[in-house]
Amino acid sequence: MPDIAPMTLRDLAGVLDWAAAEGWNPGIDDAAAFYAADPTGFFLKRVEGRPAAAISVVNHSPAFAFLGLYICHPDFRGQGHGLDVWQAGITHAGRRTIGLDGVPAQQANYETSGFLRAGETTRYTGRLPRAVAGRAFDPDDLPMLLSEDRTASGVSRPRCLTPWLAGAETRRTLVLGAAGHVEAFATGRRCRDGVK
C-alpha cells in the first residue's frame, strides 16, 4: 500500500517550493485559502520517509472539485509515484466533476484519464501602465462577490473565496462599483516573482 496521507500546511509549503523550482510561481499565501476549502484534499506520497509526489483535489461543492499542484519531486520521477497520488486525488473527488488547469505538455495524459479540454490560459507579463481603478474590498461585499463568482463559474466556493477575498498582507481584492453594487472584482496577490 503506497504511503500516501493528507498534507499538513508544513508539507504543503515544501511542495510549493517544488512548484516554484519548476517555474510555477505560486502566490505567497495562496495555499491557506485552498486549504481552508478542503484540508483533506491535499495528498503527499512519501518513499522511505521522503516526500516524493503530491496532488491537491479540493472539493468545492458536492458537484465540483478542482485538481492542482500535481507534481513529483525530481528525484522520484518516472517511478509511478505521481500515478499513486493521482489515483488518491481522483478517489477523494468521488463523483464530482473535476476541473484542472493543465500544463500543455501534460494535456494528452489528462485526456487519457477522461478529461476534456475546455479552453486555454494565456499568460501575460509586464507592468501595468497606471494604477488600477476600484475600491478596496469591504466585508459587506462578500455576499455579492460570492454570487458573482457562482454566476461566472457555475460553482459555489464560499470556503475558498471567503479567506481569498478578505485579503492578507500579500493579497488585495479591488471592487469596481459603488458600495452595495458590484460591476467587477479582482484579487491581486504577491507571488514569488511579481504579482498575479
Side-chain angles (χ1 to χ4, degrees):
M1 182 66 156
D3 184 11
I4 298 173
M7 281 189 239
T8 64
L9 278 172
R10 184 175 177 176
D11 293 330
L12 183 53
V15 171
L16 288 171
D17 286 342
W18 299 353
E22 295 291 323
W24 294 5
N25 196 26
I28 290 174
D29 67 2
D30 288 1
F34 290 102
Y35 201 82
D38 182 6
T40 64
F42 293 78
F43 299 93
L44 180 66
K45 179 177 182 183
R46 296 180 189 276
V47 175
E48 297 180 0
R50 291 181 57 202
I55 196 167
S56 68
V57 180
V58 174
N59 291 339
H60 286 284
S61 76
F64 181 77
F66 195 86
L67 186 154
L69 201 57
Y70 179 44
I71 190 167
C72 189
H73 189 280
D75 293 349
F76 295 98
R77 290 186 180 154
Q79 300 171 35
H81 305 304
L83 182 58
D84 289 341
V85 293
W86 175 271
Q87 291 170 339
I90 297 298
T91 298
H92 177 71
R95 298 181 54 97
R96 292 170 177 85
T97 297
I98 304 170
L100 65 85
D101 182 11
V103 296
Q106 294 296 325
Q107 287 176 356
N109 287 336
Y110 300 138
E111 289 175 3
T112 62
S113 293
F115 286 84
L116 301 174
R117 186 167 173 231
E120 62 185 63
T121 300
T122 303
R123 297 181 185 205
Y124 298 95
T125 61
R127 292 191 167 275
L128 291 174
R130 59 182 176 79
V132 178
R135 61 179 173 78
F137 168 82
D138 182 289
D140 290 340
D141 295 323
L142 185 60
M144 289 177 289
L145 272 57
L146 291 174
S147 176
E148 290 291 324
D149 179 72
R150 184 175 52 252
T151 299
S153 69
V155 179
S156 179
R157 306 183 292 170
R159 292 178 311 201
C160 180
L161 289 180
T162 298
W164 181 269
L165 295 170
E169 186 177 323
T170 61
R171 187 175 54 248
R172 188 170 79 153
T173 296
L174 295 176
V175 178
L176 190 61
H181 177 71
V182 174
E183 294 175 33
F185 68 96
T187 300
R189 72 233 208 250
R190 198 171 300 142
C191 297
R192 297 184 187 208
D193 180 23
V195 176
K196 291 183 186 177

